[in-house]
């Protein structure tokens, strides 16, 4: 019930969102946001005792990942983000390379599939154009820790096995359409089982030591030492996401990395 | 199955961490094609970071763009003023590299240090560091709004985060930009010899 109310409120606000440069694009239905949290995120690698539990304020999150349809509308409104114009430091050469043309999806790409092959900079620019932002890692993980029926599903063994089964399955030849997995407690879908997703602070992952210990910091921070510090050694999916994020650079694009946008909760109130 | 999963994850974590200069883009959310890196595309020479729109405030309170030293070889680093030891070491390492340059190159090279901490690193605070560390006019220390700091860190491959006590956990890299603002060389461990930076700065300096 609360989720439904949030969707309606956010739709009302977000219908203005594309008009930043005089372009008035209809907000795709898929972009509707729901309220998530407040809650507590327990990082797998707290860098200090003070960070063992991170309080996450209530925030808004796209119910579904951003789709090809959403993103092609964006690059048509913002041609500087088309693949033949984007600066190389903002997106590598794989950027949107699966599309038929810089602003055309083509017959092999469904507009309801999650957009992939987008860089962090491009994802940020898209969310910014919607007057939204990328979710922080703590926000994304909080949302992703909910099972279908519980805000905190991490102790739900069956649910955890289900996620691991998704992670273990080969990539399908064609990416499924967004909305193909059930909504979680907050009403958010596809956080697991479809694509990896960018977070705003992807480049803060696995920093559990201070750079002052120069010389030894790589070993302490990234290698075997990290696994010893993990707070929840059974949480393989979380472990995998951290490993994946720490491998990313902001211009990277790949065939199964997409994103969704978030916003501050006060936008609902306003 | 669980054992296989764990091994795959450990391999992935190890590879992405310890070989981070070679990681690529082919990570996958499935274990059958485990998230192992593939070689990334070769570096391009036209990759200028000066496309990033930034408003830097330097130690003199002047507002400048990221490309304030466009046309010069530039050592770029990120730091914060109240940092207990890694950042002083960053400055010492750059000073060491500068001291090894020949006179012609030394006259060309500039240094730009951008703070993670826009709140505490006011122009006054930055000026105090310039004085204390006896930094000559080739050095510019600057702060920037938080979202721009994140963009720059992303471009430079610097990892950081703000800690609950207001300090920052971060990696210390020295990045050498060519005249156009593309990354030429980087030193990701300030305890390592600076020779590569010195050699490349000279190489950039002798080309126009």
């Amino acid at each position: 019930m609360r989720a439904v109310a949030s969707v309606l409120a956010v739709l009302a606000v977000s219908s203005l969102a594309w008009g930043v440069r005089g372009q008035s694009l209809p907000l795709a239905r898929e972009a509707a946001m729901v309220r998530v949290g407040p809650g507590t995120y327990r990082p797998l690698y707290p860098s200090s005792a003070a960070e063992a539990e991170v309080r996450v304020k209530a925030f808004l999150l796209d119910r579904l990942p951003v789709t090809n349809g959403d993103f092609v509308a964006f690059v048509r409104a913002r041609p500087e983000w088309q693949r033949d114009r984007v600066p190389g430091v903002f997106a590598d050469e794989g950027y949107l390379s699966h599309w038929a043309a810089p602003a055309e999806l083509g017959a092999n790409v469904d507009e309801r599939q999650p957009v992939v092959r987008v860089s962090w900079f491009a994802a940020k620019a898209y969310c910014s154009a919607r007057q939204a932002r990328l979710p922080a890692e703590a926000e994304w993980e909080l949302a992703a820790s909910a099972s279908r029926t519980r805000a905190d599903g991490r102790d739900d063994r069956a649910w955890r096995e289900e996620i691991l089964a998704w992670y273990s399955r080969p990539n399908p030849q064609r990416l499924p359409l967004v909305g193909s997995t059930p909504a979680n407690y907050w009403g958010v879908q596809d956080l697991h089982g479809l694509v990896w997703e960018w977070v705003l602070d992807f480049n803060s992952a696995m920093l559990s030591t201070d750079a002052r210990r120069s010389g030894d910091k790589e070993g302490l921070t990234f290698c075997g030492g990290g696994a010893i510090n993990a707070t929840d050694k059974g949480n393989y999916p979380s472990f995998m996401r951290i490993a994946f994020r720490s491998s990313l650079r902001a211009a990277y694009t790949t065939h199964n990395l997409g994103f969704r946008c978030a916003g501050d909760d006060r936008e609902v109130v306003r | 199955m669980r054992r296989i999963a764990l091994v795959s994850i450990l391999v992935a974590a190890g590879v992405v961490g310890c070989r981070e200069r070679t990681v690529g883009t082919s990570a996958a959310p499935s274990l059958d094609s485990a998230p192992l890196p593939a070689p990334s595309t070769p570096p391009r020479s036209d990759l200028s970071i000066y496309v990033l729109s930034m408003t830097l405030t330097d130690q003199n309170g002047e507002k400048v763009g990221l490309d304030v030293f466009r046309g010069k070889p530039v050592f770029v680093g990120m730091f914060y003023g109240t940092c207990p030891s890694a950042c002083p070491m960053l400055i010492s390492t750059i000073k060491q590299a500068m001291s090894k340059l020949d006179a012609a190159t030394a006259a060309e090279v500039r240094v730009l240090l951008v703070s993670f901490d826009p709140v505490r690193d006011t122009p006054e605070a930055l000026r105090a560091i310039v004085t204390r560390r006896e930094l000559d006019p080739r050095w510019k220390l600057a702060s920037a709004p938080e979202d721009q700091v994140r963009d720059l860190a992303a471009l430079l491959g610097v990892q950081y985060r703000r800690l609950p006590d207001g300090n920052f956990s971060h990696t210390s890299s020295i990045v050498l930009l060519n005249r156009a603002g593309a990354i030429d060389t980087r030193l990701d461990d300030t305890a390592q010899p600076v020779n590569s930076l010195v050699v490349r700065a000279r190489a950039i300096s002798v080309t126009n």
Side-chain angles (χ1 to χ4, degrees):
Chain A
M1 185 57 205
R2 179 181 43 183
V4 172
S6 300
V7 169
L8 293 175
V10 175
L11 271 175
V13 172
S14 302
S15 56
L16 304 168
W18 284 101
V20 178
R21 286 196 184 170
Q23 304 274 357
S24 188
L25 298 176
L27 184 79
R29 184 187 59 81
E30 286 80 6
M33 290 176 158
V34 294
R35 183 190 283 112
V36 176
T40 301
Y41 165 55
R42 296 195 294 269
L44 202 54
Y45 296 92
S47 74
S48 65
E51 292 174 282
E53 296 200 335
V54 179
R55 288 293 299 168
V56 180
K57 287 185 285 192
F59 65 101
L60 306 177
L61 188 65
D62 281 351
R63 191 168 56 81
L64 297 169
V66 172
T67 63
N68 284 309
D70 297 331
F71 208 80
V72 77
F74 165 70
V75 302
R76 284 171 184 161
R78 299 290 181 83
E80 69 269 28
W81 286 102
Q82 291 176 15
R83 70 185 185 202
D84 54 342
R85 303 199 199 181
V86 71
V89 286
F90 289 161
D92 69 19
E93 287 163 357
Y95 177 61
L96 300 177
S97 59
H98 57 308
W99 289 4
E104 297 294 335
L105 301 183
N108 294 324
V109 175
D110 193 304
E111 64 177 15
R112 293 165 295 163
Q113 286 172 317
V115 68
V116 291
R117 299 190 189 281
V118 285
S119 68
W120 178 80
F121 284 107
K124 264 188 75 186
Y126 170 92
C127 292
S128 178
R130 263 182 48 197
Q131 296 175 351
R133 57 177 172 79
L134 286 173
E137 180 178 36
E139 292 173 334
W140 196 98
E141 290 289 335
L142 181 76
S145 68
S147 67
R148 285 176 207 180
T149 54
R150 291 154 66 174
D152 187 347
R154 283 170 295 192
D155 297 327
D156 185 335
R157 193 180 171 84
W159 179 73
R160 186 176 270 186
E161 294 292 329
E162 196 175 341
I163 293 173
L164 200 55
W166 275 327
Y167 278 46
S168 310
R169 205 172 293 150
N171 287 316
Q173 284 297 312
R174 281 179 63 87
L175 274 178
L177 307 185
V178 298
S180 61
T181 67
N184 74 6
Y185 173 83
W186 305 107
V188 182
Q189 291 176 259
D190 303 334
L191 288 165
H192 308 281
L194 214 55
V195 290
W196 299 99
E197 297 183 12
W198 282 110
V199 293
L200 182 62
D201 48 349
F202 77 96
N203 59 344
S204 70
M206 297 189 78
L207 278 175
S208 58
T209 60
D210 191 295
R212 79 189 70 170
R213 278 186 277 188
S214 193
D216 198 25
K217 70 179 195 299
E218 294 266 315
L220 279 173
T221 307
F222 293 119
C223 300
I228 295 165
N229 294 331
T231 54
D232 181 4
K233 295 180 177 62
N235 195 342
Y236 303 140
S238 185
F239 202 164
M240 291 183 67
R241 288 194 296 273
I242 288 168
F244 179 66
R245 280 178 202 139
S246 74
S247 76
L248 295 172
R249 293 294 175 268
Y252 283 5
T253 67
T254 187
H255 66 284
N256 50 23
L257 177 58
F259 71 104
R260 73 182 71 210
C261 303
D264 295 339
D265 187 39
R266 65 171 185 273
E267 294 177 31
V268 172
V269 180
R270 204 191 294 150
Chain B
M1 183 58 208
R2 288 164 63 99
R3 182 175 298 270
I4 291 169
L6 182 58
V7 168
S8 300
I9 292 160
L10 288 174
V11 167
V15 169
V16 297
C18 306
R19 293 279 179 266
E20 72 170 37
R21 294 302 304 281
T22 57
V23 297
T25 58
S26 69
S30 60
L31 288 175
D32 66 304
S33 53
L36 292 177
S40 57
T41 50
R44 283 161 34 176
S45 57
D46 62 337
L47 297 174
S48 173
I49 71 166
Y50 293 156
V51 293
L52 182 65
S53 176
M54 284 189 83
T55 304
L56 301 174
T57 304
D58 73 8
Q59 71 264 28
N60 300 314
E62 287 179 34
K63 309 271 190 205
V64 296
L66 179 61
D67 64 344
V68 59
F69 292 136
R70 185 188 292 269
K72 302 284 188 188
V74 189
F75 292 129
V76 181
M78 298 187 75
F79 80 113
Y80 67 105
T82 53
C83 170
S85 57
C87 309
M89 190 164 169
L90 178 77
I91 291 175
S92 297
T93 306
I94 297 175
K95 278 181 126 177
Q96 188 193 358
M98 301 283 276
S99 72
K100 293 186 174 186
L101 299 172
D102 62 281
T105 304
E108 281 259 63
V109 167
R110 297 293 181 270
V111 182
L112 178 61
L113 298 182
V114 179
S115 169
F116 296 110
D117 190 348
V119 177
R120 291 186 290 188
D121 282 336
T122 60
E124 294 72 31
L126 296 175
R127 207 154 55 232
I129 297 170
V130 168
T131 304
R132 192 168 69 243
R133 299 302 305 271
E134 300 177 325
L135 305 179
D136 64 53
R138 291 173 296 175
W139 293 65
K140 193 175 281 295
L141 277 55
S143 64
E146 192 174 347
D147 58 326
Q148 297 181 9
V149 168
R150 188 182 300 284
D151 284 351
L152 181 63
L155 277 184
L156 297 177
V158 169
Q159 299 214 348
Y160 79 102
R161 75 159 170 253
R162 179 192 287 275
L163 302 175
D165 63 4
N167 284 311
F168 292 81
S169 180
H170 64 98
T171 55
S172 273
S173 297
I174 300 168
V175 174
L176 173 61
L177 302 180
N178 68 17
R179 294 178 187 278
I183 294 176
D184 182 280
T185 308
R186 58 186 306 135
L187 189 69
D188 288 321
D189 183 345
T190 51
Q192 291 297 305
V194 296
N195 298 358
S196 61
L197 294 176
V198 172
V199 169
R200 288 304 306 164
R202 175 172 169 73
I204 293 168
S205 175
V206 299
T207 57
N208 285 312

